[in-house]
Amino acid sequence: MRGKLFTASAMGLILPLACLAAPALAQSVPDEPGSEEVGEAPNAIIVTAQRRAQSLTEVPQAVQAIGGEALKELGVEQIQDVIALVPSATIGSTISVGSNTFQIRGVAASETDGDPTVGFYLDNFAFSMPGRPYAPATDFYDLNRIEVLRGPSGTLYGLGSLGGTIKLLTNDPDLDEVELSTRISANITDGGEPGGGGDVMFNVPVSTGKVALRGVVSYKMIGGFADNIATNKDDANDANAFTGRVKLRAEPTERLMVQLAAWHNRSNQDYSNRITIAEPPLLNQTFGIADSKFTLFTGDIEYDLGFATLMSTTGHIKNTVVVNNGGFIPGIGDFTNFWPLVTKNFNEDLRLASNPGGPLNWIVGVFYQNGETKGGQSVALPDFTVANQVGLATFNDNTIKSKAWAVYGEATYSILDGLADLTLGGRYFEEKRTFIENSSITLIEAGIEVPTVGTDRAKNNTFNPRFNVSIHPTDDGMIYAEVAKGFRSGSITSSSIISGANTALGTNFDNSSPPDTLWNYEAGLKWSFGLMDVSLSGYYFDWKDAQIELSPTLQSIVVPIGDVKGRGVDAELSWRTPLDGLTLQAAGNINKTELRDVIPQVAAALPWLASGSQLPGTAKKTFSATASYTADVGNGWDLKVNGRYSYRSKQQSVFNGAYAPWNGFGSARIGFGKDDFDIAIFSNNIGNSGRPISKPGGQNQVPYPRTIGITMEKSF
């Protein structure tokens, strides 16, 4: 039996933190024009949200930045845990480590198909899988910081940043110092197998002050916890993950920087993260694997021209996600599923940014992408009834190709001796998509197979402006207002699947859709009151002809079904308490994100998508709180105590309207550190909650059970 989430006394300690907030603990200065001009204040948090180095308090936008050291102290090692700290952000779906979807500010669209509504960056490389919404699988060891931009970032980040952007920024090589660090950890799992892992980082100056090499290797073993009733195997869903990353940096002159990087990430899991029965966690799968891997090569060049810095980021990624499994799903019956996906993507981002000095800051750039995703989901559903026939099988081995380019620019002008800043920006985007279809639908009982082979093409473009004004009445605060437009690529879906969906719904959807566009209107403030920092933002967005994933025949299509109107408030506060070493932080959101003017046939067949409903995949309320305490205990040792709690209200599945209940999770870490050595014990999911986080695909995504472990790290 799993324990209650929290005792009443524990809740009594947590709830008062609702009036505190704001995770923002980045601590190092990035390589961007102007980085030497900022970050001198002891508590300065430096980010590159506007593609130039700024103190977080000077960015007129809803941005969170959490430094790698802060993430380590909190025990955060994956993007899912970061999402739990971001107001309005939630997990939409998961199949495996390489197939997670997220939403920010209620801009949710899909669980498995369509382009993402959140943009992802690995350092300066724009990660994407044409036609798929999945986030990258990453490891956080030797991470510099994570930046999360809430709201559309269509001007500077463009493709896919409809609801927000997540930037994962790793440490660059140090040109002067030899560094070596290693970490090992081990844990036991409530009702499951033990786990653990190891990490190593090295930094070697090849030519002091000129050339250096930095590398990271990480390996993790994740114990299984769900018993498989189909095979009688206990703790069947165990997994392992490997990450390798290396950077070579050269600064041959004061003006020139060249950096080459290679990443490799691989994860392998038995069965998948979709659990048949939530409590206790049970699988009903006769076979299954959920694997992912990617290899990424990037090159960054920066050259200081005096008046501006010319920057280029070039990258190529090959990303493979494979989910093959079979078994039984309640309400659907027996199934077999084969879902291999291979993405190749080449990016070039060339930009020129002004150097600091004077009232005008600006950036102009050109972006190019050439990518494709090959594969698809082939499923056999012998118990499913469609067209008055029992049994359905589909085969998909399709290819989506995307060739896109964009030009963008943004300028900020400071007036009235710095009292106000005016920002104007825009991005023109054009894309050609090609859909090469090789698919079929089979009615098993009738023995009828309908193959579809052919090529569809679509060409789309959009212009996305941004207007922002910020006022700085004192050095301690600012208020701002913004109007911005975001976009994501239009979908192209299998003709055979669209045909089946139209038959089931009585609709006339085309298999090609124009780009999604969203207008966001926002006002906010950031203020410091001595030991307390406050950030508030209110927003309203208008998402016309929103493309939402539907599954009327258990096969997904992504089509415009109506409009979405969203409004909400984010609150962030941080309190450096009078008790030396104690900091309390938290963040929260409340919103109403409604479907409007939904196509009547869709609303009739899928009532959870009716007009006036909260958009599935979103939660009306989110809240998180963290507490950190450090104290000198003598002989050079420091006591370090950290805790975090996250809450998300109930959330509905776009697949079938099933609700995942509200959920809350607490984690804690207590350790000691001295010079270059740290040791800590930790516990994640302290209350051992097993309630589903989401209910994708008619199944359950459940939290990992309570773990208790120990971690040790040594630097040399």
Side-chain angles (χ1 to χ4, degrees):
M1 291 292 293
R2 297 191 171 202
K4 297 290 185 181
L5 178 62
F6 273 96
T7 64
S9 60
M11 286 299 294
L13 294 174
I14 290 294
L15 290 177
L17 294 177
C19 62
L20 306 173
L25 296 170
Q27 61 267 1
S28 63
V29 178
D31 271 334
E32 292 288 347
S35 61
E36 70 279 1
E37 302 293 329
V38 296
E40 296 179 357
N43 295 313
I45 301 163
I46 310 304
V47 298
T48 56
Q50 298 194 117
R51 304 297 287 267
R52 66 179 188 271
Q54 293 174 284
S55 171
L56 180 62
T57 57
E58 296 176 353
V59 179
Q61 194 174 355
V63 180
Q64 278 175 289
I66 310 177
E69 189 66 24
L71 291 170
K72 183 184 73 173
E73 296 295 342
L74 289 170
V76 174
E77 296 185 354
Q78 56 185 352
I79 291 182
Q80 293 94 312
D81 293 333
V82 174
I83 288 295
L85 299 175
V86 177
S88 80
T90 62
I91 301 170
S93 170
T94 185
I95 302 176
S96 66
V97 172
S99 54
N100 293 298
T101 65
F102 307 115
Q103 67 81 25
I104 298 176
R105 280 195 171 173
V107 187
S110 61
E111 294 179 348
T112 56
D113 281 285
D115 285 60
T117 61
V118 176
F120 296 97
Y121 277 74
L122 301 177
D123 285 333
N124 291 318
F125 179 80
F127 176 95
S128 66
M129 298 177 66
R132 300 295 172 187
Y134 302 139
T138 55
D139 187 270
F140 284 6
Y141 194 66
D142 199 42
L143 183 71
N144 185 284
R145 68 191 185 280
I146 284 182
E147 296 179 16
V148 182
L149 290 68
R150 305 193 299 277
S153 310
T155 300
L156 296 180
Y157 296 99
L159 188 67
S161 296
L162 194 70
T165 302
I166 298 174
K167 299 174 62 180
L168 189 148
L169 301 158
T170 59
N171 282 322
D172 292 330
D174 188 314
L175 299 177
D176 300 307
E177 299 292 334
V178 175
E179 297 178 52
L180 176 66
S181 67
T182 183
R183 179 179 67 181
I184 59 172
S185 62
N187 66 268
I188 55 174
T189 304
D190 191 281
E193 295 179 325
D199 310 273
V200 175
M201 181 280 294
F202 65 88
N203 186 93
V204 181
V206 179
S207 175
T208 303
K210 298 291 185 181
V211 182
L213 183 71
R214 192 179 192 95
V216 173
V217 176
S218 297
Y219 182 77
K220 288 181 172 55
M221 297 177 294
I222 304 165
F225 63 88
D227 297 342
N228 193 342
I229 59 178
T231 62
N232 293 319
K233 182 180 179 180
D234 294 339
D235 307 324
N237 59 330
D238 57 303
N240 61 76
F242 169 85
T243 295
R245 184 175 71 245
V246 63
K247 287 185 176 183
L248 178 66
R249 184 181 183 91
E251 296 183 13
T253 71
E254 291 184 357
R255 292 179 176 268
L256 177 63
M257 187 283 294
V258 178
Q259 184 163 273
L260 304 177
W263 305 47
H264 182 73
N265 181 281
R266 173 193 56 76
S267 65
N268 301 97
Q269 181 169 349
D270 290 336
Y271 304 100
S272 76
N273 284 335
R274 294 192 173 182
I275 307 299
T276 311
I277 299 172
E279 293 191 273
L282 297 174
L283 290 163
N284 192 347
Q285 296 182 17
T286 54
F287 70 96
I289 60 169
D291 299 342
S292 69
K293 65 178 180 179
F294 72 75
T295 302
L296 169 64
F297 298 99
T298 62
D300 284 277
I301 300 174
E302 295 182 9
Y303 188 77
D304 188 345
L305 300 172
F307 73 99
T309 299
L310 181 66
M311 296 170 284
S312 171
T313 299
T314 307
H316 179 272
I317 191 169
K318 181 179 180 182
N319 186 26
T320 302
V321 178
V322 177
V323 180
N324 296 336
N325 56 0
F328 178 83
I329 299 176
I332 294 174
D334 290 329
F335 77 99
T336 57
N337 169 78
F338 297 92
W339 202 340
L341 297 170
V342 179
T343 294
K344 298 177 182 179
N345 208 330
F346 170 82
N347 285 350
E348 168 62 36
D349 191 357
L350 181 66
R351 54 208 184 272
L352 183 67
S354 63
N355 287 333
L360 179 65
N361 286 286
W362 51 267
I363 182 172
V364 293
V366 179
F367 178 82
Y368 173 77
Q369 172 184 281
N370 187 349
E372 70 170 38
T373 299
K374 179 176 173 57
Q377 185 179 23
S378 300
V379 179
L381 303 166
D383 304 322
F384 183 67
T385 300
V386 61
N388 297 317
Q389 297 290 325
V390 177
L392 173 71
T394 67
F395 168 78
N396 287 282
D397 186 19
N398 307 316
T399 301
I400 298 177
K401 295 185 176 183
S402 169
K403 289 187 177 181
W405 62 272
V407 292
Y408 61 90
E410 188 168 282
T412 299
Y413 191 75
S414 181
I415 62 174
L416 302 176
D417 196 26
L419 177 63
D421 292 332
L422 306 177
T423 299
L424 175 65
R427 186 185 193 103
Y428 176 80
F429 169 82
E430 188 171 292
E431 180 184 34
K432 294 180 180 179
R433 283 214 163 181
T434 303
F435 184 77
I436 303 171
E437 183 169 4
N438 178 23
S439 64
S440 66
I441 290 182
T442 301
L443 300 177
I444 297 174
E445 186 179 51
I448 299 173
E449 180 181 0
V450 182
T452 305
V453 178
T455 301
D456 290 309
R457 293 180 174 86
K459 181 178 180 180
N460 295 294
N461 60 74
T462 178
F463 178 72
N464 305 278
R466 179 186 181 220
F467 311 94
N468 184 289
V469 57
S470 60
I471 300 173
H472 309 260
T474 74
D475 291 338
D476 296 323
M478 63 175 289
I479 57 175
Y480 67 89
E482 175 170 298
V483 178
K485 182 184 177 185
F487 75 100
R488 69 167 180 159
S489 295
S491 66
I492 303 182
T493 307
S494 164
S495 298
S496 59
I497 295 177
I498 281 283
S499 177
N502 281 330
T503 299
L505 295 171
T507 51
N508 189 32
F509 289 121
D510 193 271
N511 75 319
S512 176
S513 301
D516 259 334
T517 58
L518 177 151
W519 281 96
N520 183 71
Y521 308 88
E522 181 170 342
L525 65 83
K526 297 181 179 182
W527 220 277
S528 178
F529 299 95
L531 297 177
M532 182 172 287
D533 299 327
V534 179
S535 177
L536 295 173
S537 57
Y539 62 89
Y540 169 82
F541 68 79
D542 186 3
W543 184 6
K544 293 288 189 184
D545 296 321
Q547 296 179 51
I548 305 297
E549 182 180 7
L550 312 178
S551 304
T553 61
L554 300 187
Q555 290 287 282
S556 296
I557 62 173
V558 181
V559 290
I561 66 166
D563 300 336
V564 177
K565 310 284 187 181
R567 57 186 182 273
V569 176
D570 295 338
E572 304 172 69
L573 298 145
S574 180
W575 185 25
R576 297 175 293 278
T577 70
L579 178 61
D580 188 31
L582 177 63
T583 300
L584 302 177
Q585 305 168 326
N589 168 273
I590 183 169
N591 73 86
K592 190 173 185 180
T593 305
E594 287 187 337
L595 286 158
R596 302 281 185 88
D597 301 321
V598 176
I599 295 171
Q601 296 95 315
V602 172
L606 310 173
W608 57 92
L609 295 173
S611 295
S613 302
Q614 178 83 4
L615 178 66
T618 69
K620 290 185 178 181
K621 299 175 184 178
T622 63
F623 169 73
S624 67
T626 66
S628 300
Y629 177 68
T630 302
D632 184 351
V633 293
N635 295 322
W637 286 93
D638 288 332
L639 169 67
K640 301 178 181 181
V641 182
N642 293 272
R644 56 188 165 94
Y645 173 78
S646 61
Y647 164 86
R648 188 225 66 222
S649 62
K650 66 179 182 179
Q651 180 170 291
Q652 202 170 18
S653 168
V654 71
F655 175 76
N656 61 4
Y659 275 105
W662 74 270
N663 228 322
F665 303 99
S667 298
R669 192 174 187 268
I670 302 174
F672 293 90
K674 181 178 183 180
D675 298 329
D676 50 12
F677 178 75
D678 284 279
I679 184 170
I681 58 173
F682 63 87
S683 179
N684 295 324
N685 191 6
I686 293 175
N688 204 24
S689 171
R691 298 150 63 96
I693 300 172
S694 63
K695 286 182 168 287
Q699 300 174 82
N700 299 279
Q701 177 190 355
V702 301
Y704 199 82
R706 176 174 50 222
T707 58
I708 299 174
I710 185 170
T711 180
M712 293 182 289
E713 184 168 12
K714 172 71 175 175
S715 299
F716 301 90

